[in-house]
Every structure is written in C-alpha cells, then in structure tokens.
Amino acid sequence: MCRTLLRLPFTILLSLFGFSAAQADELLSYKWQGVDRTAILHVPKGLEGQPAPVVIVMYGSGDKAANFQKNSGADVVADSENFITLYPEAIDGAWNIRAKRPVINGEPVDDVGFFRTMLDDLVNRNIADEKRIYATGFSFGALMSYTLACSLPDRIAAIAPVASAMNESQVENCKPGHPKPVMMINGTSDDVQLYDGYIRSFGRLTSVPETTEYWRRINSCTGVGVTPLPHLNPHDLTRASLFQWSGCAPGKAVQLYRIENGGHCWPRLASANNETEDEPRFGGCSNDIEATEEAWKFFKQFRVD
C-alpha cells in the first residue's frame, strides 16, 4: 500500500478552537491508508526551533481533537511547563483498540502506523525530543495510550491513562510485555469504563486492580504505599488517594490516583468556577487534582531507554 506523508504548510489560529489568537497551532496532515489523518500541534512560545518534550493527548470515543484540546486544559500546563501538546484525530471518533474497528477502505484502521509516522516526522523536523514523548488519554483515548506503550516502546517514554483500565486483548497483544512507567487515574464509581471491569460482546475490560498488577509485574515492582490527598472543594463528594508502587526496575514506576466516588471524567482542580454544590450521587468529578499537571509531574522523570 502506498502511504505518502504530507504536511500542511500553514497554521490554524487558536481562535478557531476557542483560544486566544496570540499564538497559532499547526494542523498536521498525513496521507495514511488512502485518507488524510490529522492532528493539532501546540508549541508554547519560546520552544520554536528546538526539540522539546511532547505529550500526546487523546480524547474519548465520539469527541473531537479541538474540543478536547479546549476542555482538557492541557495547553495551559504545557505553556507553563514548556512541553508540546499533540492532539491526534481518530477515524469516526474511535481509536482502533478492538483490532477490527474502525475501518478504512475495508481494512482495520492502522492507528499505530499513523502515530509512528507522525512522531517520526516531528523528530525529523527537530520539533520533538525523541527521548521524551509521552501519551495520555481519556476513556477510549486511555485505552489507546496502553496500545502505544505496547506497540511503540521505542517512541513512548511513559503513559498516563485516565478513566480506563486495559482490555484483555491488549494484555494478550502486549505479551511478553514492555516495561514502561505508567500513571493511572480511575474513579471507583465510573459507570462507563467500570473500575471492576466488564464483559461485553467485543471483549473484556480488565479491572483497575488487574491492570495495575499487570504493570507492577512487568515493571518488577515489589511494594506499594498509599497517600490520601488534600480535599480542596468541600462540595466535591469524591476523595482522592495516590497509590505508589516501590522497588520497581530502574527508570520504571507505577502509580494510581484512585478517586473514591469518582465517575467517568477528566479531573480538574477546584476553582471559583466549579465550587457549586454537587448532586448527592456517585460518579462525581474530582476537584483535588489537575489531570494534566499530575501526568506531567510523572512524565518528566522518564526518558526512552
């Protein structure tokens, strides 16, 4: 199959995506499997012309890259901490984590090939630091981050999936496994990607404890400790604790932010804008951590071996 790489020679103003027009983002485009695959590249001011860390940020099923760029708050952290954010677009709003869907021209979508082509381009253009490329994602985007850790171990230095454990087929496809730093954020009352997993027609989602045990074993960790986090919003019905595994292989780590009563969401810090009374129900969104901030604190410790 002929797969030709293209890059659009223009930038997309941030105002198109609901941001200030003070800076411009680049719309990347690559011809892959006969269609144009795109991604939004955000380079903070001052990082132009030099290789920098890149955090891939992937949305959940049915969303769009521009929408998640705005709602995740990741660019604010990137601008403060001097790393690049990359927001890929999925085919039909879905990542290929089920092996046979979605489909392009009768073939399963090759998301892994698209990501490798895109990352190779950014490294060759002296934009991405090849040793410091990381992946995070929400829900099915979280599942895709597990796939990248297993499929591109030479490119991805660490991952931080939010609101999903691994599915069973990913565990099988990842054997014998690639040691990789992993930080997870999961709510115990998530009614979409259940904390205790599920079995459905397309396969089994493992539980969060099963997934952490998988990475504990792959990373050769031997112990675990837990730290309750400060509760910042009195109206927030969730509580967050950080589980940190110890004795891991050099350069490896496993962490879990367990959100009691936490639902299917991307946690954001408490602010004047979200301190309204939460409904008396399970499935709240934690205001005790900022997902991207915690991911970056974790990421910046690690490089590709």
Side-chain angles (χ1 to χ4, degrees):
M1 178 184 302
C2 179
R3 291 167 174 166
T4 306
L5 181 152
L6 299 174
R7 186 175 72 251
L8 294 183
F10 59 88
T11 57
I12 300 296
L13 292 177
L14 283 172
S15 58
L16 292 178
F17 305 111
F19 290 90
S20 165
Q23 296 184 48
D25 289 348
E26 183 177 359
L27 180 65
L28 306 177
S29 182
Y30 305 87
K31 185 69 73 176
W32 194 252
Q33 292 181 287
V35 301
D36 292 329
R37 297 296 303 270
T38 63
I40 301 168
L41 182 73
H42 175 77
V43 180
K45 187 176 181 180
L47 291 184
E48 303 90 342
Q50 57 181 309
V54 173
V55 175
I56 305 168
V57 186
M58 292 169 286
Y59 56 80
S61 180
D63 204 351
K64 300 293 289 183
N67 189 54
F68 198 57
Q69 180 184 24
K70 178 180 178 180
N71 292 334
S72 67
D75 286 354
V76 175
V77 182
D79 291 343
S80 173
E81 296 292 330
N82 292 315
F83 62 86
I84 292 167
T85 45
L86 178 65
Y87 303 87
E89 201 75 74
I91 296 295
D92 297 331
W95 304 107
N96 186 358
I97 55 164
R98 302 177 188 169
K100 295 182 179 179
R101 54 184 300 188
V103 173
I104 295 177
N105 298 325
E107 295 183 351
V109 170
D110 179 16
D111 279 326
V112 171
F114 162 54
F115 275 85
R116 181 177 285 284
T117 297
M118 179 168 53
L119 294 177
D120 286 349
D121 175 48
L122 295 179
V123 169
N124 291 337
R125 291 170 58 198
N126 212 34
I127 293 173
D129 181 339
E130 64 180 342
K131 298 293 185 181
R132 295 187 293 168
I133 299 173
Y134 312 97
T136 186
F138 172 68
S139 188
F140 274 37
L143 282 162
M144 190 63 204
S145 72
Y146 293 120
T147 291
L148 293 181
C150 292
S151 302
L152 299 177
D154 58 325
R155 275 281 178 246
I156 305 299
I159 63 171
V162 178
S164 185
M166 294 177 78
N167 66 40
E168 196 169 55
S169 65
Q170 287 178 310
V171 175
E172 290 298 316
N173 291 336
C174 202
K175 287 180 177 179
H178 300 283
K180 189 70 57 179
V182 175
M183 186 203 88
M184 300 168 58
I185 301 176
N186 294 89
T188 61
S189 296
D190 189 332
D191 61 0
V192 179
Q193 297 294 90
L194 306 184
Y195 190 90
D196 293 326
Y198 56 64
I199 298 176
R200 295 181 182 167
S201 60
F202 50 79
R204 185 174 81 91
L205 181 76
T206 69
S207 69
V208 171
E210 283 180 277
T211 298
T212 56
E213 171 59 18
Y214 171 83
W215 290 106
R216 181 209 66 77
R217 179 176 56 80
I218 293 298
N219 289 319
S220 303
C221 307
T222 57
V224 64
V226 58
T227 304
L229 301 185
H231 191 53
L232 305 180
N233 181 353
H235 303 300
D236 176 3
L237 300 181
T238 71
R239 296 292 187 277
S241 297
L242 173 60
F243 290 74
Q244 294 176 290
W245 277 257
S246 58
C248 305
K252 303 297 180 286
V254 179
Q255 293 185 2
L256 166 67
Y257 286 89
R258 175 184 163 110
I259 313 298
E260 298 293 337
N261 292 348
H264 196 66
C265 72
W266 180 272
R268 302 294 305 273
L269 277 174
S271 71
N273 294 325
N274 61 13
E275 289 184 352
T276 56
E277 187 82 32
D278 197 1
E279 296 178 14
R281 57 177 174 76
F282 290 126
C285 195
S286 175
N287 294 152
D288 291 337
I289 62 172
E290 184 78 22
T292 310
E293 283 188 4
E294 300 309 318
W296 178 245
K297 288 178 189 176
F298 183 75
F299 287 157
K300 65 184 180 181
Q301 307 172 73
F302 305 108
R303 296 170 179 251
V304 168
D305 296 334

Coordinates of all heavy atoms in Angstrom, one line a residue, residues 138-139 162-165 185-198 200 205 208 259-266 282-284:
F138 N -8.2 10.0 27.6 CA -9.4 9.8 28.4 C -10.2 8.7 27.8 O -10.5 8.7 26.6 CB -10.1 11.1 28.4 CG -11.5 11.0 29.1 CD1 -11.6 10.8 30.4 CD2 -12.7 11.2 28.3 CE1 -12.9 10.7 31.0 CE2 -13.9 11.1 28.9 CZ -14.0 10.8 30.3
S139 N -10.7 7.8 28.7 CA -11.6 6.7 28.3 C -11.0 5.9 27.1 O -10.0 5.2 27.3 CB -12.9 7.4 27.9 OG -13.9 6.4 27.6
V162 N -6.4 7.9 31.7 CA -7.4 8.4 32.6 C -8.7 7.8 32.3 O -9.2 7.8 31.1 CB -7.5 10.0 32.5 CG1 -8.6 10.5 33.4 CG2 -6.1 10.6 32.8
A163 N -9.3 7.2 33.3 CA -10.7 6.7 33.2 C -10.8 5.4 32.3 O -11.8 5.3 31.6 CB -11.7 7.8 32.7
S164 N -9.8 4.6 32.3 CA -10.0 3.2 31.8 C -8.8 2.4 32.2 O -7.7 2.8 32.2 CB -10.1 3.3 30.2 OG -10.3 2.0 29.7
A165 N -9.1 1.1 32.5 CA -8.1 0.1 32.6 C -7.8 -0.5 31.2 O -8.3 0.0 30.2 CB -8.6 -1.0 33.5
I185 N -5.4 7.2 36.4 CA -6.4 7.9 37.2 C -7.7 7.3 37.0 O -8.2 7.2 35.8 CB -6.4 9.4 36.8 CG1 -5.1 10.1 37.0 CG2 -7.5 10.1 37.6 CD1 -5.1 11.6 36.5
N186 N -8.3 6.7 38.0 CA -9.6 6.0 37.8 C -10.5 6.2 39.0 O -10.1 6.3 40.2 CB -9.3 4.5 37.8 CG -8.5 4.1 36.5 OD1 -7.3 4.1 36.6 ND2 -9.2 3.8 35.5
G187 N -11.8 6.4 38.6 CA -12.9 6.6 39.6 C -13.5 5.3 40.0 O -13.8 4.5 39.1
T188 N -13.8 5.1 41.3 CA -14.4 3.8 41.7 C -15.9 3.7 41.3 O -16.4 2.6 41.3 CB -14.3 3.7 43.2 OG1 -15.0 4.7 43.8 CG2 -12.9 3.7 43.7
S189 N -16.5 4.8 40.9 CA -17.9 4.8 40.5 C -18.1 5.1 39.0 O -19.2 5.6 38.6 CB -18.8 5.8 41.4 OG -18.7 5.3 42.7
D190 N -17.1 4.9 38.2 CA -17.2 5.1 36.8 C -18.2 4.1 36.2 O -18.0 2.9 36.3 CB -15.8 4.9 36.2 CG -15.7 5.2 34.7 OD1 -16.7 5.2 34.0 OD2 -14.6 5.6 34.3
D191 N -19.3 4.7 35.6 CA -20.3 3.8 35.1 C -20.2 3.5 33.6 O -21.0 3.0 33.0 CB -21.7 4.4 35.4 CG -21.9 5.7 34.8 OD1 -21.0 6.3 34.1 OD2 -23.0 6.3 35.0
V192 N -19.0 4.0 33.0 CA -18.8 3.7 31.6 C -17.6 2.7 31.5 O -17.8 1.6 30.9 CB -18.4 5.0 30.8 CG1 -18.1 4.7 29.4 CG2 -19.5 6.0 30.9
Q193 N -16.5 3.0 31.9 CA -15.3 2.1 32.0 C -15.2 1.6 33.4 O -14.5 2.2 34.2 CB -14.0 2.7 31.5 CG -14.1 3.2 30.0 CD -14.2 2.0 29.1 OE1 -15.3 1.5 28.7 NE2 -13.0 1.5 28.6
L194 N -15.9 0.6 33.8 CA -16.1 0.2 35.2 C -14.8 -0.1 35.9 O -13.9 -0.8 35.3 CB -17.1 -1.0 35.3 CG -18.4 -0.9 34.6 CD1 -19.3 -2.1 34.9 CD2 -19.2 0.4 35.0
Y195 N -14.7 0.4 37.1 CA -13.5 0.2 37.9 C -13.2 -1.3 38.1 O -12.1 -1.7 38.1 CB -13.7 0.8 39.3 CG -12.4 0.9 40.1 CD1 -11.5 2.0 40.1 CD2 -12.1 -0.2 41.0 CE1 -10.4 2.0 40.8 CE2 -10.9 -0.1 41.8 CZ -10.1 1.0 41.7 OH -8.9 1.1 42.4
D196 N -14.3 -2.1 38.2 CA -14.1 -3.6 38.4 C -14.2 -4.3 37.0 O -14.2 -5.6 37.0 CB -15.2 -4.1 39.3 CG -15.0 -3.6 40.7 OD1 -13.9 -3.4 41.2 OD2 -16.1 -3.4 41.4
G197 N -14.2 -3.6 35.9 CA -14.2 -4.2 34.6 C -15.5 -4.7 34.2 O -16.5 -4.5 34.9
Y198 N -15.6 -5.2 33.0 CA -16.8 -5.8 32.4 C -16.6 -6.8 31.3 O -15.4 -6.9 30.8 CB -17.8 -4.7 31.9 CG -17.1 -3.7 30.9 CD1 -16.8 -4.2 29.6 CD2 -17.0 -2.4 31.1 CE1 -16.2 -3.4 28.7 CE2 -16.4 -1.5 30.2 CZ -16.1 -2.0 28.9 OH -15.6 -1.2 28.0
R200 N -18.3 -7.7 27.6 CA -19.3 -7.3 26.6 C -19.0 -8.0 25.3 O -18.1 -8.8 25.2 CB -19.3 -5.8 26.4 CG -19.7 -5.0 27.7 CD -19.7 -3.5 27.5 NE -20.1 -2.9 28.8 CZ -20.0 -1.6 29.0 NH1 -19.5 -0.8 28.1 NH2 -20.3 -1.0 30.2
L205 N -13.1 -5.9 29.6 CA -12.2 -4.8 30.2 C -11.7 -5.4 31.5 O -12.5 -5.7 32.4 CB -13.0 -3.5 30.4 CG -12.3 -2.4 31.0 CD1 -11.3 -1.7 30.0 CD2 -13.2 -1.3 31.6
V208 N -9.4 -2.3 37.3 CA -8.2 -1.4 37.6 C -7.2 -2.2 38.4 O -6.0 -2.1 38.1 CB -8.7 -0.1 38.3 CG1 -7.5 0.7 38.8 CG2 -9.5 0.7 37.3
I259 N -9.9 7.5 42.8 CA -10.9 8.6 43.1 C -12.1 7.9 43.7 O -12.9 7.3 42.9 CB -11.3 9.4 41.9 CG1 -10.0 9.9 41.1 CG2 -12.1 10.6 42.4 CD1 -9.1 10.8 41.9
E260 N -12.3 7.9 45.0 CA -13.5 7.3 45.6 C -14.7 8.1 45.2 O -14.7 9.4 45.3 CB -13.3 7.3 47.1 CG -12.2 6.5 47.7 CD -12.4 5.0 47.5 OE1 -13.5 4.6 47.3 OE2 -11.4 4.3 47.5
N261 N -15.7 7.4 44.8 CA -17.0 8.1 44.2 C -16.7 8.8 42.9 O -17.6 9.5 42.4 CB -17.6 9.0 45.2 CG -18.2 8.4 46.5 OD1 -18.3 7.1 46.5 ND2 -18.5 9.1 47.5
G262 N -15.6 8.6 42.3 CA -15.3 9.3 41.1 C -15.9 8.6 39.9 O -16.0 7.4 39.8
G263 N -16.4 9.4 39.0 CA -17.1 8.9 37.8 C -16.2 8.9 36.6 O -15.0 8.9 36.7
H264 N -16.8 9.0 35.4 CA -16.1 8.9 34.1 C -15.8 10.4 33.7 O -16.6 11.0 33.0 CB -17.0 8.2 33.1 CG -16.3 7.8 31.9 ND1 -15.3 6.8 31.9 CD2 -16.4 8.2 30.6 CE1 -14.9 6.6 30.7 NE2 -15.5 7.4 29.9
C265 N -14.6 10.9 34.1 CA -14.3 12.3 33.9 C -12.8 12.5 33.9 O -12.1 11.6 34.3 CB -15.0 13.2 34.9 SG -14.3 13.1 36.5
W266 N -12.4 13.7 33.4 CA -11.0 14.1 33.4 C -10.9 15.1 34.6 O -11.4 16.2 34.5 CB -10.8 14.8 32.1 CG -9.4 15.3 31.8 CD1 -8.9 16.6 32.2 CD2 -8.3 14.7 31.2 NE1 -7.6 16.7 31.8 CE2 -7.2 15.6 31.2 CE3 -8.1 13.4 30.7 CZ2 -6.0 15.2 30.6 CZ3 -6.9 13.1 30.1 CH2 -5.8 14.0 30.1
F282 N -23.3 9.2 43.2 CA -22.0 8.7 42.9 C -21.6 9.2 41.5 O -22.4 9.8 40.8 CB -22.0 7.2 42.8 CG -22.1 6.5 44.2 CD1 -23.1 5.6 44.4 CD2 -21.2 6.9 45.2 CE1 -23.2 5.0 45.7 CE2 -21.3 6.3 46.4 CZ -22.3 5.3 46.7
G283 N -20.4 9.1 41.2 CA -19.9 9.5 39.8 C -19.5 10.9 39.7 O -19.6 11.5 38.6
G284 N -19.1 11.6 40.8 CA -18.6 12.9 40.7 C -17.3 13.0 40.0 O -16.6 12.1 39.8

